[in-house]
């Protein structure tokens, strides 16, 4: 492992950025995955049960998204500025999708009308699928590169971002969140909702494996240099090995052993390995330039001053454990099975 990852402020903050990204994927990932399922069943009991399963925690999970954005703004302001400029329309779509999801959650059950619920169900699904898909598209574009010049000016539009590899990574992201979402539902539900989650877990697992294999095939064919870091720094192999272990355990506990309460540990390992694999493949670059490599935004040319990074590091060491402790407490309070009766929106 390159020493600068753990011996310099820039390297430490690169690792922290990865932790925030993993934290968001693990928490908001399962409620997005649960929401993606929503439109694939017409059973009202299953839909209500799945919504009640995430009701106490879904909005709190977005703390990681806000915290990550704040971290990027303070630690790597140039990356923040360029990404919010280049991905402006994509982020605008994500923002509206998240608002739509929240409104659908609040209003779906306010009126006992099939038409009313039908439209809010579609809105709720859009509010989950769009952020899940664009999360992968955005990460994919940052890794393979976008047309930015030496001043970070982006030469393109929303369609510039819709290239094959980022789109494939969008599908990886959707299936990654889906397998995590159904793993959560396997813990929280029973009866019809539980049986539905089991079937969805198998479909999601196949989708994740296939999408990762196809994305890797195209990356090897078109951007094989992204694998160089794993040969230059052998310890980086820890991340893809974690991903493979997670996939193996997911299949074993779901299909072979039928230990459904453990599947979420496997999906968590898979997500952690997937996110870290992408981050370490890109190291030390945050956003790659397709115009010229010297315009790449790295941990060295896009960070704040050492003083700012030091102050933020102290603050993070104080507040990050509080956030983790609060999150753990919330999940402990709301542990146990849920049903379609009672709960949020009733």
């Amino acid at each position: 492992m390159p020493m600068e990852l753990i011996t310099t402020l820039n390297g430490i903050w690169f690792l922290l950025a990865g932790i925030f990204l993993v934290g968001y994927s693990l928490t908001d990932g399962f409620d997005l995955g649960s929401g993606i399922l929503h439109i694939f069943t017409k059973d009202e009991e299953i839909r209500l049960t799945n919504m009640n399963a995430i009701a106490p925690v879904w909005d709190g999970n977005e703390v990681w998204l806000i915290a990550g954005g704040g971290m990027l703004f303070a630690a790597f302001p140039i990356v923040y500025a360029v990404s919010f400029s280049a991905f402006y329309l994509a982020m605008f779509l994500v923002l509206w999708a998240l608002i739509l999801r929240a409104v659908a959650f609040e209003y779906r059950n306010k009126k006992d009308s099939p038409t009313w619920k039908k439209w809010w169900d579609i809105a709720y699904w859009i509010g989950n699928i769009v952020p899940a898909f664009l999360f992968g598209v955005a990460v994919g574009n940052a890794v393979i590169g976008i047309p930015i010049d030496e001043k970070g000016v982006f030469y393109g539009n929303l369609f510039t971002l819709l290239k094959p590899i980022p789109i494939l990574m969008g599908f990886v992201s959707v299936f990654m969140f889906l397998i995590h979402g159904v793993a959560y539902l396997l813990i929280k539900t029973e009866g019809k909702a539980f049986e539905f989650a089991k079937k969805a877990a198998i479909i999601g697992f196949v989708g994740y494996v296939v999408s990762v294999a196809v994305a890797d095939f195209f990356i090897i064919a078109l951007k094989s240099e992204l694998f160089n870091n794993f040969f230059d720094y052998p310890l980086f192999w820890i991340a893809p090995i974690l991903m493979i272990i997670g996939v193996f355990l997911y299949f074993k506990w779901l299909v072979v052993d039928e230990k459904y309460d453990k599947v979420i540990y496997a999906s968590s390992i898979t997500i952690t390995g997937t996110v870290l694999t992408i981050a370490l493949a890109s190291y030390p670059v945050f956003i790659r330039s397709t115009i010229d490599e010297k315009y790449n935004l790295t941990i060295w040319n896009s960070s704040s001053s050492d003083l700012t990074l030091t102050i933020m590091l102290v603050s993070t060491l104080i507040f990050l454990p509080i956030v983790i402790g609060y999150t753990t407490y919330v999940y402990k309070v709301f542990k146990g099975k849920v049903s379609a009766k009672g709960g949020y929106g009733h």
Side-chain angles (χ1 to χ4, degrees):
M1 183 176 290
M3 291 302 292
E4 59 266 28
L5 254 182
I6 53 176
T7 57
T8 67
L9 282 170
N10 304 62
I12 291 170
W13 271 103
F14 182 82
L15 285 176
L16 285 173
I19 290 172
F20 275 98
L21 206 56
V22 170
Y24 173 72
S25 301
L26 289 179
T27 52
D28 210 27
F30 74 74
D31 56 58
L32 289 174
S34 168
I36 291 170
L37 276 182
H38 191 77
I39 211 166
F40 295 105
T41 176
K42 293 183 179 179
D43 191 303
E44 181 68 5
E45 181 182 335
I46 294 176
R47 285 180 170 178
L48 285 176
T49 302
N50 290 351
M51 292 183 82
N52 286 339
I54 65 167
V57 295
W58 73 273
D59 46 357
N61 290 338
E62 292 179 357
V63 166
W64 286 93
L65 182 63
I66 298 169
M71 178 280 298
L72 199 62
F73 174 74
F76 299 101
I78 298 175
V79 175
Y80 178 90
V82 172
S83 59
F84 272 69
S85 173
F87 305 143
Y88 173 76
L89 282 176
M91 289 186 177
F92 194 72
L93 288 173
V94 169
L95 179 62
W96 276 104
L98 292 175
I99 292 172
L100 196 61
R101 178 172 69 147
V103 175
F105 222 119
E106 292 289 344
Y107 280 87
R108 181 189 184 275
N109 298 316
K110 297 298 183 187
K111 190 175 178 181
D112 192 17
S113 161
T115 304
W116 173 271
K117 289 186 177 181
K118 174 186 173 183
W119 287 108
W120 282 121
D121 285 336
I122 294 172
Y124 180 63
W125 183 74
I126 292 173
N128 285 284
I129 191 76
V130 170
F133 181 71
L134 291 182
F135 177 81
V137 172
V139 172
N141 274 287
V143 171
I144 70 164
I146 56 176
I148 54 173
D149 64 13
E150 72 276 16
K151 295 180 180 177
V153 177
F154 174 64
Y155 294 91
N157 52 46
L158 180 63
F159 297 102
T160 308
L161 306 177
L162 299 178
K163 292 171 287 191
I165 290 178
I167 289 175
L168 286 170
M169 293 182 73
F171 283 107
V172 171
S173 175
V174 167
F175 283 112
M176 181 177 77
F177 290 150
L178 178 59
I179 62 171
H180 198 42
V182 290
Y184 182 75
L185 293 177
L186 288 174
I187 297 175
K188 299 293 291 183
T189 64
E190 52 192 355
K192 286 196 295 183
F194 178 80
E195 294 300 322
F196 177 69
K198 274 202 305 186
K199 294 176 184 175
I202 295 173
I203 295 171
F205 175 79
V206 173
Y208 172 79
V209 172
V210 171
S211 61
V212 168
V214 174
D216 281 345
F217 174 80
F218 277 93
I219 291 172
I220 291 171
L222 303 175
K223 276 284 185 183
S224 59
E225 62 269 25
L226 287 175
F227 291 91
N228 290 346
N229 273 350
F230 297 101
F231 297 101
D232 295 338
Y233 312 114
L235 278 179
F236 279 10
W237 282 103
I238 291 174
I241 289 173
L242 263 183
M243 183 171 64
I244 294 169
I245 291 173
V247 169
F248 170 77
L249 291 176
Y250 195 96
F251 179 80
K252 185 173 184 292
W253 286 333
L254 177 68
V255 179
V256 181
D257 298 342
E258 298 184 345
K259 294 180 177 177
Y260 303 115
D261 57 330
K262 290 188 174 180
V263 177
I264 197 164
Y265 298 122
S267 64
S268 299
I269 294 171
T270 304
I271 287 179
T272 302
T274 305
V275 172
L276 291 182
T277 296
I278 297 169
L280 293 176
S282 185
Y283 174 84
V285 178
F286 272 106
I287 299 178
R288 208 171 298 275
S289 170
T290 55
I291 296 176
D292 195 314
E293 283 189 4
K294 64 185 178 184
Y295 304 150
N296 290 349
L297 298 181
T298 71
I299 63 173
W300 309 115
N301 64 12
S302 60
S303 65
S304 296
S305 66
D306 283 355
L307 177 61
T308 302
L309 294 179
T310 302
I311 293 173
M312 283 189 57
L313 183 60
V314 173
S315 301
T316 302
L317 291 176
I318 294 172
F319 290 106
L320 186 59
I322 294 175
V323 173
I324 294 173
Y326 162 78
T327 304
T328 306
Y329 174 74
V330 169
Y331 283 100
K332 187 176 180 181
V333 168
F334 292 103
K335 70 178 181 179
K337 301 282 186 181
V338 299
S339 68
K341 297 178 180 178
Y344 200 88
H346 292 270

